[in-house]
Amino acid sequence: MPIDILMPALSPTMESGTLAKWLKKEGDKIKSGDVIAEIETDKATMEVEAVDEGVLAKILIGNGTENVAVNTKIAIIAAEGEDVGAAASGGGAAPAPVAAPVVAPAPAATVPAAPKTEMPAYDASSEVPAGTEMVKTTVREALRDAMAEEMRRDDKVFVMGEEVAEYQGAYKVTQGLLQEFGARRVIDTPITEHGFAGVGVGAAMTGLRPIVEFMTFNFAMQAIDHIINSAAKTLYMSGGQLGCPIVFRGPNGAAARVAAQHSQCYAAWYSQIPGLKVVMPYTAADAKGLLKSAIRDENPIIFLENEILYGQSFDVPKMDDWIVPIGKARVARVGHHVTLVAFGIGMTYAMKAADALAGEGIEAEVIDLRTIRPMDVATVVRSIQKTNRCVAIEEGWPQSGVTSEIGMKIMEEAFDYLDAPVIRVTGKDVPMPYAANLEKLALPTVADVVAAAKAVLYR
Amino acid sequence: MAANGAQMAGNATKRAPAPAKKAGKSESAKAVSGPKPFTKEEDLRAYRDMLLIRRFEEKAGQLYGMGLIGGFCHLYIGQEAVVVGMQMATIEGDQVITGYRDHGHMLACGMEANGVMAELTGRRGGYSRGKGGSMHMFSREKNFYGGHGIVGAQIALGTGLAFANRYNSNGNVSLAYCGDGAANQGQVYESFNMAELWSLPVVYVIENNRYAMGTSVSRASAQTDFSKRGVSFNIPGEQVDGMDVQAVREAAMRAITHARSGKGPYILEMQTYRYRGHSMSDPAKYRSKDEVEKMRNEHDPIEQVRNRLLGKHKISEEEIKAVDAEIRKIVNESAEFATHDPEPDASELWTDIVK
């Protein structure tokens, strides 16, 4: 059957072009891959290659013809053994796929609504069974215990990062792991964040469960391409085939007097990415329970710790398998006048401010988000339904921050319950200064939170 | 394809492992006394596998010209001997990972033409159900780990696949491909360092097709001998005639045997050529027509094998034509499938974001 040659599109935006020149003439034999013509667009001159074999039976659009629309029939090829004359006069049947009517796209005029998983407000108070013994534990020890328990449970879990093994962790979070699990599973890497993040993601694609420690998240900026492009997007891009069960963890945000390059909070950055879960615990109990959940999760998890919190002690339930679910907030203090929403180290300001406010007869409800993405908005909304007022707190920068997102979610889902605008207390919109006095000025304070709470109460 | 590959690599592992070449003394393939000739069966397999890629890519170019494939579309035409020769030296379970010029690698790994073509047209029967496109396809079943659009990322990821092989002691080797352009990315060297430090079973295949998009190797690379790119990490490397599938397979056997035996990574610089532009919208004005014609006429990887089949192996024109027809049928059917298969359901917008 004769084959039509159509005017090709050479870019997604090309609609027509000039047929500059035929490089073959009628009667020429054509092999697949032969350049048969040149066409011009406003951007470039391109060659047209034959895909089929046979004899060029007829040229329908001559040299120099302008404005030839894409998919116009420009020539006819007689397939091998066919009568060239008949092909030329009869016109070609289109090559197999060409003639096939393109399936009309499914009517996608309306964007399907995001699946709404009914997420009721969460009650974290039932997480610990009554009568459970509590053990004072530092956040540092809690994180180590979580990793050790999960490594005992599953041989696929391993830890890699700078100084995690022989040095016992730059911040001693991996203390003792090398001794218990050996060098196969506790792996010191060179200082090569981009590279070892990629190695971790590649290993996770095969089904291993890496815990990749960044000495601090500041250095993870070198690796952020793998975190986002390789880890977070692959499940979607593979149509659900290839997951990436990996935990990226390490200290995040300001420590003390380490200046701009070592003091950044990445909660807002990572929380924007579909495909990631972002966890930022405050207490040791949450650090342990959430890290265990993160290690068992099938998705890439950003687990943001804080150097200042590492040494702080909290009650941790003594249980065989203490797990805290990802994506659930915790009411850290019950109150009814105003809701304070915070996470990670931001909780220190919220809790102290609540104490101070109580002294003035104001009962603040404090919500620890614990997970930034997916965000437990329902628990925040439930609280606002009671208090009608909200202050959101974070150490990170204000623009496009996590607290901006909290404010917008409240607008969308609890606007009618508000008796005052939501106020944010954030780090100042400046790189972190080194000087002690300036650093102090750049960070939120308890007084800022108290003042904000009074402002939304119009006191 | 896999079974065949397993059989061949089985033979390969019986060979005494070639002594690791000293890095820094990379030898040109031409200096070696010719690769071991293929048997008739091997040449037939190579011909068939390379022709499938060639015809598939030509058809993809045609569908692109018809507006049925969108966005970026990077064709592998001219480079077929590289991935086909490499696959002839692998065993079941060895992984493949590459960049965005990936259709040939998928077909060589045994992925179905229908699924690949339907992904190119963005249909639900595509390997990624239409959500990945030309640069993002995967098949865990065929040990193909993508298909990556960020230049050089696949080298670190491929090193991670090798890390997993060692962690699991499974005896498999990861083949991580990149181009001469990606070879200048920093993470490639971070990966080389870790791979050699930890003796990971990985073969880095640098497909040097002479142009990183429109920039020739000499304009972008201080060291244009890519086999030497591992010198400072003590990784052995060699340059290979990537247009000669026999030479590719022989080098692949050396490299894979080295990696599988626990000696660590190996670098193969495949000297190859892409006939088409970088992507569909590239007029390729940075090189002369003569250069392209010379490669096509004198070094075409498929013609070389076809000539051996007709000459040395005494296969008739009719038998060759039968193979050609079979390939054309597979490719035409894939195009037919890829143009009739429906687009993904709108609800797919919201699936596969997290597990």
Side-chain angles (χ1 to χ4, degrees):
Chain A
M1 204 161 52
I3 298 157
D4 286 343
I5 301 177
L6 306 181
M7 182 72 171
L10 299 172
S11 74
T13 50
M14 175 176 160
E15 288 173 0
S16 66
T18 298
L19 207 162
K21 181 162 77 175
W22 282 98
L23 302 172
K24 299 277 178 186
K25 56 184 190 301
E26 289 179 3
D28 281 357
K29 266 194 100 165
I30 288 173
K31 277 205 330 262
S32 186
D34 283 352
V35 178
I36 53 173
E38 283 180 2
I39 61 174
E40 283 172 8
T41 67
D42 51 347
K43 290 186 206 124
T45 303
M46 303 274 292
E47 293 170 340
V48 181
E49 284 186 12
V51 181
D52 299 285
E53 297 187 342
V55 174
L56 185 59
K58 185 145 188 78
I59 289 173
L60 301 168
I61 305 282
N63 288 344
T65 310
E66 293 180 6
N67 297 320
V68 182
V70 165
N71 285 343
T72 306
K73 204 192 284 186
I74 56 174
I76 299 165
I77 292 180
E80 201 175 333
E82 283 179 351
D83 184 283
V84 174
S89 59
V98 180
V102 178
V103 173
T110 52
V111 180
K116 191 88 179 165
T117 40
E118 269 314 312
M119 228 177 40
Y122 180 72
D123 183 5
S125 64
S126 61
E127 283 175 353
V128 183
T132 304
E133 185 191 338
M134 294 300 222
V135 182
K136 278 273 182 236
T137 312
T138 62
V139 171
R140 174 181 286 115
E141 291 162 343
L143 292 167
R144 193 264 323 276
D145 292 349
M147 288 188 279
E149 286 178 19
E150 293 308 299
M151 289 175 78
R152 281 175 211 131
R153 187 175 166 268
D154 184 355
D155 182 66
K156 290 196 174 78
V157 180
F158 67 93
V159 189
M160 71 191 306
E162 294 155 9
E163 311 289 6
V164 297
E166 298 199 4
Y167 194 86
Q168 305 287 306
Y171 295 97
K172 298 287 175 280
V173 176
T174 51
Q175 190 140 34
L177 294 183
L178 175 67
Q179 285 66 23
E180 179 173 355
F181 300 102
R184 172 174 167 263
R185 300 180 67 195
V186 186
I187 300 137
D188 277 327
T189 66
I191 301 172
T192 185
E193 283 85 6
H194 194 185
F196 71 69
V199 168
V201 172
M205 283 173 173
T206 72
L208 293 183
R209 294 181 170 273
I211 304 168
V212 172
E213 176 177 307
F214 291 115
M215 194 180 287
T216 84
F217 261 92
N218 300 287
F219 313 142
M221 267 206 281
Q222 303 230 42
I224 201 165
D225 173 59
H226 276 302
I227 296 172
I228 293 170
N229 277 315
S230 305
K233 295 178 185 172
T234 300
L235 184 69
Y236 198 82
M237 293 195 304
S238 67
Q241 263 195 79
L242 211 60
C244 188
I246 189 168
V247 177
F248 298 101
R249 51 152 290 271
N252 164 71
R257 306 293 309 282
V258 291
Q261 290 181 342
H262 288 69
S263 301
Q264 191 171 333
C265 176
Y266 290 90
W269 282 43
Y270 291 112
S271 80
Q272 213 211 359
I273 309 300
L276 289 181
K277 293 183 182 178
V278 182
V279 178
M280 192 158 163
Y282 164 55
T283 68
D286 287 342
K288 182 177 180 185
L290 282 164
L291 184 52
K292 282 164 64 77
S293 285
I295 294 166
R296 292 181 200 182
D297 202 280
E298 295 298 328
N299 303 287
I301 312 275
I302 302 293
F303 198 90
L304 302 170
E305 301 160 7
N306 185 285
E307 190 192 330
I308 290 166
L309 292 178
Y310 278 152
Q312 295 191 13
S313 292
F314 297 84
D315 282 340
V316 173
K318 192 175 177 182
M319 292 167 67
D320 287 343
D321 196 16
W322 165 242
I323 286 278
V324 173
I326 290 171
K328 300 295 178 193
R330 176 177 65 94
V331 178
R333 178 181 176 124
V334 177
H336 57 274
H337 290 129
V338 59
T339 301
L340 308 181
V341 183
F343 50 93
I345 189 138
M347 280 294 293
T348 56
Y349 307 106
M351 292 303 278
K352 285 178 187 163
D355 282 343
L357 289 164
E360 300 183 42
I362 298 169
E363 290 304 326
E365 180 144 296
V366 181
I367 294 179
D368 181 356
L369 281 182
R370 305 196 288 190
T371 301
I372 315 298
R373 181 188 185 96
M375 192 181 283
D376 183 1
V377 178
T379 298
V380 176
V381 168
R382 182 184 57 180
S383 178
I384 289 171
Q385 287 171 343
K386 180 169 64 173
T387 64
N388 311 113
R389 295 155 207 280
C390 181
V391 174
I393 302 132
E394 69 179 314
E395 271 200 353
W397 288 313
Q399 177 156 341
S400 313
V402 177
T403 49
S404 324
E405 176 68 13
I406 294 168
M408 196 63 214
K409 284 283 182 210
I410 293 170
M411 288 270 285
E412 289 169 352
E413 300 188 22
F415 182 75
D416 290 342
Y417 295 98
L418 287 177
D419 287 343
V422 178
I423 292 185
R424 292 180 291 163
V425 176
T426 70
K428 303 298 183 296
D429 203 8
V430 298
M432 185 63 73
Y434 168 70
N437 63 327
L438 296 181
E439 184 186 61
K440 217 169 180 178
L441 292 172
L443 290 167
T445 63
V446 174
D448 291 341
V449 179
V450 169
K454 287 182 179 171
V456 297
L457 284 158
Y458 301 111
R459 293 200 195 178
Chain B
M1 213 179 263
N4 204 354
Q7 186 194 339
M8 283 186 210
N11 293 340
T13 48
K14 278 178 205 143
R15 292 156 52 105
K21 288 210 169 64
K22 276 210 180 94
K25 281 197 177 177
S26 308
E27 290 176 44
S28 162
K30 282 168 198 149
V32 182
S33 62
K36 188 182 168 209
F38 277 8
T39 62
K40 185 172 97 177
E41 288 68 33
E42 288 166 342
D43 263 332
L44 265 174
R45 176 190 167 192
Y47 179 73
R48 193 188 169 285
D49 289 357
M50 289 195 291
L51 192 68
L52 174 64
I53 296 172
R54 173 79 48 100
R55 294 287 174 260
F56 181 94
E57 294 288 65
E58 287 168 350
K59 184 61 78 177
Q62 190 186 29
L63 295 187
Y64 193 94
M66 293 160 65
L68 289 163
I69 296 172
F72 296 116
C73 188
H74 308 90
L75 303 181
Y76 198 62
I77 295 172
Q79 300 180 214
E80 296 91 344
V82 176
V83 75
V84 168
M86 289 300 302
Q87 283 305 103
M88 290 176 85
T90 58
I91 61 169
E92 190 73 39
D94 290 347
Q95 303 104 334
V96 171
I97 188 165
T98 187
Y100 48 77
R101 195 177 304 285
D102 55 358
H103 312 159
H105 300 72
M106 294 186 266
L107 295 172
C109 285
M111 289 166 69
E112 299 288 335
N114 279 11
V116 179
M117 196 68 95
E119 190 60 38
L120 295 183
T121 55
R123 305 304 170 98
R124 65 179 59 169
Y127 267 96
S128 298
R129 305 218 300 269
K131 292 158 83 168
S134 166
M135 301 186 288
H136 311 296
M137 279 181 251
F138 310 82
S139 170
R140 193 168 251 164
E141 185 200 345
K142 301 291 183 189
N143 293 297
F144 180 74
Y145 283 83
H148 295 271
I150 305 297
V151 178
Q154 74 275 17
I155 294 297
L157 297 170
T159 307
L161 299 174
F163 177 95
N165 290 338
R166 204 199 55 166
Y167 191 91
N168 294 324
S169 305
N170 62 14
N172 280 121
V173 172
S174 141
L175 308 183
Y177 290 78
C178 73
D180 48 281
N184 292 327
Q185 287 276 23
Q187 63 178 314
V188 169
Y189 301 91
E190 298 189 23
S191 302
F192 284 0
N193 183 42
M194 283 181 280
E196 180 66 25
L197 187 68
W198 299 334
S199 299
L200 300 182
V202 54
V203 175
Y204 298 111
V205 186
I206 301 176
E207 298 191 64
N208 177 3
N209 65 17
R210 303 196 197 176
Y211 297 92
M213 199 168 154
T215 304
S216 66
V217 161
S218 59
R219 291 204 300 125
S221 293
Q223 170 55 277
T224 57
D225 180 346
F226 291 94
S227 71
K228 291 182 180 162
R229 289 296 183 98
V231 166
S232 62
F233 308 98
N234 300 320
I235 302 176
E238 56 184 287
Q239 292 185 312
V240 183
D241 178 358
M243 306 301 277
D244 175 358
V245 69
Q246 294 184 138
V248 172
R249 191 207 45 184
E250 182 140 312
M253 282 178 161
R254 263 195 305 278
I256 291 174
T257 302
H258 176 91
R260 208 186 302 286
S261 65
K263 291 179 181 160
Y266 203 100
I267 294 171
L268 295 176
E269 176 193 342
M270 294 294 174
Q271 299 182 316
T272 182
Y273 201 78
R274 92 174 125 69
Y275 295 174
R276 295 290 189 97
H278 165 73
S279 65
M280 291 304 297
S281 51
D282 170 17
K285 293 295 178 205
Y286 42 82
R287 60 186 185 187
S288 71
K289 279 189 180 150
D290 288 350
E291 180 184 304
V292 182
E293 279 311 299
K294 196 168 156 60
M295 286 304 286
R296 289 182 112 127
N297 294 335
E298 296 173 17
H299 300 281
D300 187 76
I302 300 177
E303 280 302 307
Q304 289 183 42
V305 177
R306 188 183 151 92
N307 290 340
R308 280 205 298 273
L309 287 170
L310 289 169
K312 183 179 146 197
H313 298 308
K314 300 194 170 31
I315 285 181
S316 67
E317 280 275 2
E318 283 65 39
E319 282 176 89
I320 296 270
K321 280 195 174 151
V323 176
D324 295 355
E326 180 209 338
I327 296 295
R328 201 169 284 282
K329 186 161 175 281
I330 293 170
V331 169
N332 284 338
E333 280 174 7
S334 77
E336 184 81 3
F337 175 71
T339 47
H340 283 79
D341 192 42
E343 290 188 311
D345 190 82
S347 63
E348 284 281 343
L349 180 66
W350 296 104
T351 58
D352 307 321
I353 298 163
V354 291
K355 265 189 183 175

